[in-house]
Amino acid sequence: METPFRLEIGQVFIPVRDVHVAAPWYAELLGTEVAAPTHDATIVDIPMQSGPGLSLDANAPFTADGPPRFFWWADDMGSVLAHLERLGIDVVRGPLDIGSVELLHFRDLDGNLLMVCVPTGPGPRP
């Protein structure tokens, strides 16, 4: 079937109430600098090494309902747990090994459910 769409995700948006509060939290969590707010101070871009971009977005009506909207890859779950503990972030679920990955869930300051996965099964590692 022909389509004008590329099979490529361009950007992931996380709804937040206030980008000025959320941006420093994400910067510390991810150990990176974040861009200055744009679009009338309602969007902050967070640099990623690869894959789709990540933006904090205070434009839409806020809701933290639902499953995680994406996940981050990590190499070692013990390091992830130690990092979250250092930041005072509670784990909501996990670590849980589901055969192909070990995963855990936690929430950001706005209550968004976030996820980290470590590959555990056979096959190429991301």
Side-chain angles (χ1 to χ4, degrees), residues 31-124:
T32 189
E33 297 289 323
V34 297
T38 61
H39 299 83
D40 293 326
T42 60
I43 292 183
V44 169
D45 293 322
I46 301 172
M48 297 284 106
Q49 290 177 337
S50 64
L54 182 62
S55 292
L56 306 177
D57 183 355
N59 283 300
F62 177 81
T63 178
D65 299 339
R69 291 165 170 85
F70 66 95
F71 67 84
W72 285 286
W73 284 117
D75 296 317
D76 177 69
M77 191 58 75
S79 296
V80 170
L81 287 166
H83 182 62
L84 294 176
E85 185 177 330
R86 248 188 331 274
L87 297 176
I89 300 171
D90 294 328
V91 172
V92 174
R93 178 178 183 218
L96 176 65
D97 191 332
I98 61 169
S100 58
V101 298
E102 184 176 22
L103 63 88
L104 69 76
H105 292 169
F106 61 100
R107 294 192 183 277
D108 72 3
L109 295 174
D110 287 300
N112 290 300
L113 191 61
L114 304 172
M115 185 160 92
V116 176
C117 292
V118 173
T120 59

Side-chain angles (χ1 to χ4, degrees), residues 1-8:
M1 175 184 346
E2 196 169 318
T3 179
F5 290 89
R6 293 182 359 203
L7 298 179
E8 179 181 351

